[in-house]
Amino acid sequence: MTMSKKQSGARTSQPSVGVVIPLLNEVSSLSDLIAELEAVLEPYPDYQILFVDDGSTDESLSLLREMSARDPRIRYLSLTRNFGHQLALKSGLTRCEADVVISMDADLQHPPNQIPIMIDAWREGYNVVNMIRRAERTSFLKRLTSRFFYRLINAISDFEITPGSSDFRLLDREVVDLIRQMPERCVFLRGLIPWLGFRQVDIPFEPANRRHGEAKYRLTRMIRLALTGITSSSIRPLRLAFIIGATTSSAAGIYAIYALAIRIFYDAVISGWTSLLIGMMLLGGVQLLMLGVIGEYVGRVFLEVKNRPDTIVAETNLDE
Ligand code: UDP
Ligand code: MG
């Protein structure tokens, strides 16, 4: 059964559509977002919008309660505290029962009018539809760091992530069920989904500017996400220690022969302090750096083996 679906060509059925939207303090975007989504989803007879409130401290949750009381197709899930965008998104995905599940941001940077295009691609037989940011509109710094990050991650991992990938995508039911089974807490969906390896398609889109509020992804958050991305996709950085070790040992061997040779044949000694200090600091630095790399992995092993649930739900109007 699964095989035939995996290899299926065009799909013609009218799927049930789920839209999962993690949000943190987005009260000022919500009304616009819901209005736009309702307009776009109108032609689909069976849809559900599932908001995941990631510990908002503004009025987002009370607005969600209000909106969902008015329309049963609007559902919400409220986490006990801020767990971070990736985990909020994962907990929404695992609770969405629709045939096709679309994830997007709440700040209207991911335009709802792309949804029909995404569903059309699904009808053509794709299991994953990735929406790719066109770079022109983003700031120079974001473009540079993002490019560097994707280069790095593609160099060290065994799959390709298209630069400009975002968490704006459509997933087929089969893919969502697999994500639901993934036990990991350190999730990087942009790496996990290509790893699953279904039929995927990339569609470029023009990101809108944020209309209200401000971006929650500050630099430290981006770095944390990048580290999770790298450590959850590959263990190649650990091999770096071996390569650096082999290189420095060879260099040290050559240098030792040279130092001994001039001592024995010319009775000369390389003068002390500067060369000693440089050597010591360099080696100390490299050792600490490699300990840090190992520490990143050990820390994540620790987080995974504790086996805690990845999020705690405080309140929801989903039937569970
Ligand atoms: N978000 C979240 N939890 C967080 C941070 C952000 O649920 O801890 C949500 C946020 O409300 C938005 C989406 O994740 O819907 C993307 O965040 P943001 O717009 O700040 O990031 P950017 O667009 O700069 O990548
Ligand atoms: Mg945004």
Side-chain angles (χ1 to χ4, degrees):
M1 177 205 89
T2 39
M3 278 310 284
S4 65
K5 200 169 175 196
K6 213 176 278 180
Q7 256 120 51
S8 67
R11 301 169 168 123
T12 46
S13 70
Q14 187 63 274
S16 59
V17 180
V19 184
V20 177
I21 308 176
L23 66 115
L24 172 67
N25 299 335
E26 303 281 6
V27 67
S28 40
S29 304
L30 275 180
S31 317
D32 285 3
L33 176 66
I34 291 176
E36 283 188 29
L37 279 172
E38 283 178 333
V40 166
L41 292 170
E42 222 257 322
Y44 301 92
D46 184 7
Y47 74 82
Q48 182 184 67
I49 307 173
L50 173 56
F51 288 96
V52 184
D53 168 35
D54 188 18
S56 296
T57 49
D58 65 359
E59 298 302 304
S60 297
L61 181 57
S62 42
L63 187 62
L64 286 177
R65 284 194 197 109
E66 231 170 80
M67 295 283 203
S68 58
R70 184 175 60 82
D71 182 350
R73 289 174 299 191
I74 299 176
R75 299 297 175 102
Y76 67 89
L77 188 75
S78 177
L79 305 181
T80 49
R81 63 172 173 87
N82 179 252
F83 282 88
H85 171 255
Q86 292 289 300
L87 285 177
L89 179 54
K90 188 184 174 202
S91 48
L93 288 178
T94 57
R95 286 173 178 85
C96 190
E97 303 290 347
D99 298 331
V100 302
V101 181
I102 292 161
S103 59
M104 62 191 290
D105 287 355
D107 56 4
L108 289 156
Q109 287 194 291
H110 297 162
N113 63 18
Q114 302 292 306
I115 289 176
I117 302 174
M118 298 163 84
I119 295 177
D120 285 345
W122 175 83
R123 284 213 181 92
E124 280 168 33
Y126 291 103
N127 296 64
V128 177
V129 183
N130 294 309
M131 301 304 282
I132 307 297
R133 250 188 342 252
R134 281 216 180 89
E136 301 92 64
R137 294 284 295 275
T138 45
S139 73
F140 176 72
L141 191 71
K142 178 138 187 172
R143 224 158 50 210
L144 197 77
T145 49
S146 156
R147 233 188 16 230
F148 173 72
F149 169 66
Y150 285 113
R151 275 257 170 90
L152 182 69
I153 202 163
N154 282 332
I156 63 169
S157 60
D158 300 323
F159 45 82
E160 259 321 278
I161 309 179
T162 312
S165 289
S166 55
D167 283 304
F168 187 19
R169 68 168 81 76
L170 176 148
L171 301 173
D172 177 59
R173 177 78 252 149
E174 201 179 343
V175 182
V176 177
D177 284 338
L178 280 171
I179 293 174
R180 184 182 284 183
Q181 287 165 25
M182 298 281 157
E184 58 207 72
R185 269 135 219 82
C186 302
V187 266
F188 180 64
L189 288 164
R190 265 170 254 179
L192 177 60
I193 291 167
W195 179 86
L196 289 171
F198 281 90
R199 262 194 92 190
Q200 316 212 355
V201 62
D202 293 341
I203 299 181
F205 79 103
E206 210 64 63
N209 284 327
R210 213 175 215 285
R211 273 189 234 169
H212 310 277
E214 52 187 38
K216 274 93 200 167
Y217 269 112
R218 302 241 164 276
L219 190 65
T220 45
R221 269 208 137 93
M222 298 294 287
I223 294 173
R224 215 181 305 155
L225 183 71
L227 277 176
T228 304
I230 291 167
T231 51
S232 65
S233 320
S234 164
I235 55 163
R236 257 171 234 170
L238 289 173
R239 270 176 222 146
L240 206 64
F242 181 75
I243 296 166
I244 294 177
T247 318
T248 38
S249 313
S250 325
I254 294 167
Y255 196 62
I257 293 170
Y258 165 71
L260 275 177
I262 60 167
R263 179 76 186 81
I264 293 166
F265 299 116
Y266 303 98
D267 201 20
V269 177
I270 300 166
S271 71
W273 201 80
T274 313
S275 54
L276 269 181
L277 191 77
I278 291 174
M280 226 175 70
M281 290 205 308
L282 191 77
L283 280 182
V286 168
Q287 279 169 353
L288 284 179
L289 192 76
M290 289 327 300
L291 264 184
V293 173
I294 297 168
E296 275 301 316
Y297 284 91
V298 174
R300 280 163 217 279
V301 171
F302 169 69
L303 291 176
E304 299 290 354
V305 296
K306 276 197 294 183
N307 210 18
R308 292 184 178 167
D310 37 51
T311 52
I312 311 281
V313 177
E315 182 188 328
T316 175
N317 68 345
L318 281 172
D319 340 291
E320 287 195 298

